[in-house]
Amino acid sequence: AAAASELGGGGWAGFPGQVGAREEPSRAEPSGQGGRAISAASMVQQEPAAAPGLPAGEAAAAAAEVRVSRRRWAVVLLFSSYSLCNAFQWIQYGSINNIFMRFYGVSAFAIDWLSMSYMVTYIPLLFPVAWLLDRRGLRFIALAGSALNALGAWVKLGSLKPHLFPVTVLGQVICSLAQVFILGMPSHIASVWFGSREVSTACSVAVFGNQLGIAVGFLVPPVLVPNVEDVEKLAYHISIMFFITAGVATALFILVVVVFKEKPSHPPSRAQALIQSRPAEEYSYVQSILHLLHNANFLLLMVTYGLNAGCFYALSTLLNRMVIHCYPGEEVNAGRIGLTIVLSGMVGALISGIWLDRTKTYKQTTLIVYIMSLVGMIAYTFTLSLGHLWVVFVTAGVLGFFMTGYLPLGFEFAAELTYPESEGTSSGLLNVSAQIFGIAFTIGQGQIMDHFGMKAGNLFLCSFLFLGTVITAFIKADLRRQQANLDNEQTVIRSGERPEGPGSSSAPTGCSGR
């Protein structure tokens, strides 16, 4: 038990990237507030000695002390904050596309590439960063991500002249490097730091940071950078936005240095203790990837997740162009529509997470949300040009509720389909799919909009959402992690412990996100 407790909280010994552990509820845990509250007196769960004849890793896990750390919420909130800052920098150009086009004297396509740089950078760097996570641990990844985020923000301050567009590109590329160290971490942090009754909530908080950053990126730039004619005044307004961003990013980096720890001193869940107890030589990073690529259900989910997330990335990048085309001079309202999409999606993600915690209906929930994303996109497509902004706000809110709300659902489903493989690896592959489709859809929709109009561009996205809905229907609900938790419970019962109470046989859900 002592040996198991000393292993890295992020995963197997020598493999801190392994995530996805679950915890069965403790008998001493109070049932109030939906079973989520854990009193100080009941934060430690002592397990009995394992039954003779169990494998060494399972024996150590069954005997391990399970405890949640008081620092866990500070860690996840801090991560959420610098993820917010990075997501803000992703969309800050696209949300006032027309203003930056005029300031730098470049095409709309060039400004679009500032957003697409995040997608391009992620694809080749996913596996090197995942390897660093495995070898160097969670704290190193957090430091690298927050440091690059701050550095990119300061570089952008050197681009406050119209001829310095290459400098702003450099700053954005540095921020896109930071994103590789951020995007796949919510599931990892939730699994390493939180017990089963909090893991979905914790992951939602981590994912909300990124989504809220996009929302702020839609709302704030049109307010801080008005569409004025004087170039010097425009440069002044842009400098205010860049200085605020750089100051916030730097403060968050300092907090990461001071607050962010590698792992808690004890595993927060029984299944996490099982993962920690396995020797490093049992795990092969390459074999893990090969296992995922041979999992037919996961491959189908990769495609469907990429289609949905790619549509969201294209819609976010091109939203300003769509709204300004239909409603000239409405830059501020274009940002507010983007804000509506993201905030409603945050609500959708939270409701979906709570629903999954209670029902474990991964396949059914994912399919329903996907269908409603298609319905929302169709409604948005045919109401955008009606001439009534309030209608666009309503349909955009419905679209965001389901489309943005789907993103963490996809990671939840992947975690179940791929256990015991690393959630960091599976979520990374889903994100690669999302970036590839995001680039293709952004370029494709942009060209269609330029040549055939806004409606044709949105119908282009509708067709791929329909394809994703059909493919989702063919994914089998092979919930391996739930089964692993049920098997672990039976092992503990055979070792002499009584069942842990009503409802404890249900495997709690994990969460990953974007």
Side-chain angles (χ1 to χ4, degrees):
S5 297
E6 289 299 319
L7 291 175
W12 304 346
F15 183 65
Q18 179 68 21
V19 294
R22 308 295 171 125
E23 173 194 35
E24 295 300 333
S26 168
R27 290 194 307 271
E29 185 171 325
S31 58
Q33 301 178 4
R36 293 187 181 273
I38 301 179
S39 68
S42 64
M43 291 176 68
V44 178
Q45 177 179 333
Q46 295 286 352
E47 305 288 357
L54 286 176
E58 293 186 21
E65 178 182 288
V66 173
R67 176 187 300 175
V68 289
S69 169
R70 297 180 187 276
R71 186 188 288 258
R72 64 196 186 282
W73 288 110
V75 169
V76 76
L77 288 172
L78 181 56
F79 168 82
S80 185
S81 298
Y82 72 80
S83 176
L84 182 156
C85 184
N86 184 257
F88 172 84
Q89 296 196 75
W90 169 57
I91 204 65
Q92 67 180 163
Y93 295 98
S95 61
I96 47 175
N97 183 293
N98 58 320
I99 295 175
F100 277 110
M101 283 172 56
R102 185 163 58 82
F103 180 74
Y104 288 118
V106 297
S107 67
F109 190 62
I111 301 299
D112 290 344
W113 268 108
L114 290 174
S115 295
M116 287 190 288
S117 65
Y118 269 55
M119 309 174 202
V120 173
T121 305
Y122 187 87
I123 296 169
L125 293 181
L126 162 67
F127 294 113
V129 171
W131 181 85
L132 282 174
L133 174 63
D134 296 339
R135 300 305 175 193
R136 299 298 300 273
L138 183 59
R139 176 175 165 82
F140 175 84
I141 295 298
L143 289 170
S146 57
L148 287 169
N149 190 54
L151 177 61
W154 285 107
V155 169
K156 290 178 184 180
L157 279 166
S159 65
L160 296 174
K161 298 290 184 182
H163 66 281
L164 294 176
F165 182 68
V167 178
T168 213
V169 171
L170 175 62
Q172 186 74 343
V173 169
I174 294 173
C175 291
S176 73
L177 293 175
Q179 175 233 199
V180 186
F181 291 85
I182 295 171
L183 199 58
M185 292 303 104
S187 60
H188 182 87
I189 292 173
S191 295
V192 169
W193 281 90
F194 288 84
S196 66
R197 292 194 178 256
E198 297 173 327
V199 68
S200 290
T201 302
C203 184
S204 296
V205 172
V207 172
F208 281 0
N210 188 273
Q211 295 180 344
L212 187 58
I214 298 172
V216 175
F218 278 121
L219 179 66
V220 172
V223 175
L224 292 181
V225 187
N227 193 3
V228 297
E229 294 296 328
D230 188 276
V231 174
E232 291 298 324
K233 289 184 178 179
L234 192 56
Y236 169 74
H237 290 299
I238 293 173
S239 71
I240 291 176
M241 179 173 69
F242 285 170
F243 265 116
I244 293 174
T245 306
V248 170
T250 303
L252 290 170
F253 169 68
I254 294 172
L255 285 174
V256 169
V257 172
V258 175
V259 174
F260 213 100
K261 288 182 62 178
E262 173 64 30
K263 61 186 184 300
S265 55
H266 298 278
S269 66
R270 185 178 296 141
Q272 186 74 10
L274 176 62
I275 290 174
Q276 293 176 19
S277 67
R278 294 175 180 173
E281 58 269 17
E282 287 187 13
Y283 184 83
S284 166
Y285 183 61
V286 175
Q287 284 299 319
S288 176
I289 296 173
L290 292 176
H291 290 159
L292 293 176
L293 295 179
H294 283 86
N295 185 327
N297 290 315
F298 176 71
L299 291 178
L300 291 176
L301 183 62
M302 272 186 65
V303 174
T304 59
Y305 183 89
L307 290 171
N308 192 295
C311 289
F312 171 70
Y313 292 159
L315 183 69
S316 300
T317 302
L318 302 173
L319 181 65
N320 174 268
R321 288 171 61 182
M322 294 183 206
V323 176
I324 296 303
H325 176 82
C326 298
Y327 304 91
E330 294 287 356
E331 289 87 359
V332 174
N333 274 322
R336 289 171 179 168
I337 291 171
L339 175 70
T340 301
I341 290 174
V342 178
L343 290 182
S344 61
M346 293 170 65
V347 175
L350 178 61
I351 293 174
S352 298
I354 294 173
W355 174 258
L356 286 181
D357 270 340
R358 294 180 180 275
T359 67
K360 314 298 185 287
T361 53
Y362 292 89
K363 165 68 179 292
Q364 298 91 325
T365 303
T366 302
L367 180 59
I368 291 171
V369 171
Y370 216 117
I371 292 172
M372 294 307 298
S373 298
L374 172 60
V375 172
M377 189 68 207
I378 293 173
Y380 172 80
T381 298
F382 288 98
T383 58
L384 177 62
S385 58
L386 291 181
H388 303 288
L389 265 175
W390 70 268
V391 177
V392 179
F393 273 95
V394 172
T395 55
V398 173
L399 172 62
F401 183 87
F402 293 105
M403 179 178 282
T404 312
Y406 169 84
L407 301 182
L409 284 180
F411 287 102
E412 290 262 2
F413 200 9
E416 293 293 336
L417 293 174
T418 60
Y419 184 87
E421 307 301 337
S422 166
E423 279 188 7
T425 306
S426 62
S427 62
L429 289 172
L430 290 186
N431 281 326
V432 165
S433 176
Q435 313 307 320
I436 292 172
F437 282 111
I439 294 169
F441 289 169
T442 302
I443 296 174
Q445 186 185 13
Q447 293 299 311
I448 292 173
M449 285 164 49
D450 291 339
H451 292 87
F452 302 102
M454 301 297 114
K455 185 175 293 185
N458 286 325
L459 287 174
F460 169 77
L461 297 186
C462 291
S463 64
F464 285 101
L465 285 175
F466 175 76
L467 176 62
T469 301
V470 174
I471 297 175
T472 299
F474 287 94
I475 301 175
K476 295 181 180 179
D478 180 18
L479 306 182
R480 301 179 179 183
R481 180 140 60 182
Q482 286 195 55
Q483 187 60 47
N485 276 279
L486 291 171
D487 293 345
N488 186 269
E489 180 190 0
Q490 294 302 317
T491 298
V492 173
I493 292 174
R494 287 198 303 270
S495 72
E497 183 180 356
R498 291 179 294 128
E500 294 180 344
S504 65
S505 62
S506 258
T509 62
C511 178
S512 299
R514 202 125 303 341

